[in-house]
Amino acid sequence: MELLFICRDARVDSLLSTMAMALEARKASVEAGISFTGEAIAAMAGRSFDWSPLLRDWSTRVRVSRNATEMGHPLSNPRGPRWTKPVNFSRPPGRRESGPLWSKMLGVDERLPEDLERPDMAELIHELRQSYKVIGSY
């Protein structure tokens, strides 16, 4: 893999940025994937996503939701563009996986989206070693 993004924060802005960058990399014919870990695993398993402190106010969240959706990165909830639902992001092409460490420590593997791949630790270490660039932190 050329680029492996790691998304560990359960923040809407972090998830949106990571997924948008992976999608844009794929559009540029770069082999890219995302590994979710830490807080992101908990949020994808049903806990809530949060916003960064400077982006929490209602008007900013509505603006980000509308603009991201217009840019082709759907963040809006089906209830309308004033509401956000990060798990409804369109799935970017490429590998999307749950980090085995946190999905096992949290005991949430069965609650994660079905389309997330679930590598074991040996597979994850191999992938990290083979990736040309790894962006993020576990």
Side-chain angles (χ1 to χ4, degrees):
M1 183 164 320
E2 292 178 68
L3 288 175
L4 176 62
F5 293 93
I6 298 170
C7 184
R8 62 176 277 237
D9 299 314
R11 291 190 346 235
V12 175
D13 49 301
S14 178
L15 178 64
L16 175 60
S17 297
T18 302
M19 293 186 82
M21 291 301 292
L23 182 59
E24 293 302 319
R26 296 294 298 191
K27 286 180 183 176
S29 300
V30 174
E31 184 185 9
I34 304 171
S35 182
F36 296 98
T37 188
E39 290 180 342
I41 290 286
M44 293 185 96
R47 308 270 304 271
S48 64
F49 282 91
D50 198 1
W51 288 83
S52 295
L54 295 177
L55 303 176
R56 278 193 186 126
D57 65 278
W58 183 253
S59 63
T60 300
R61 291 186 302 170
V62 170
R63 185 178 324 113
V64 169
S65 176
R66 286 181 179 156
N67 291 339
T69 300
E70 287 176 12
M71 294 170 62
H73 306 293
L75 177 59
S76 296
N77 188 318
R79 289 174 32 186
R82 292 182 29 199
W83 306 96
T84 59
K85 187 157 184 163
V87 294
N88 284 342
F89 280 135
S90 55
R91 307 294 188 215
R95 183 177 174 98
R96 295 175 59 252
E97 64 188 25
S98 64
L101 182 66
W102 278 97
S103 61
K104 289 188 183 357
M105 284 196 296
L106 291 169
V108 296
D109 200 44
E110 70 284 347
R111 293 194 313 257
L112 292 172
E114 290 181 21
D115 63 340
L116 282 183
E117 296 182 30
R118 290 157 170 79
D120 61 26
M121 287 301 286
E123 292 171 315
L124 179 60
I125 297 300
H126 177 75
E127 185 174 321
L128 288 167
R129 291 183 70 197
Q130 298 299 315
S131 294
Y132 182 68
K133 290 192 180 194
V134 177
I135 302 169
S137 63
Y138 267 90

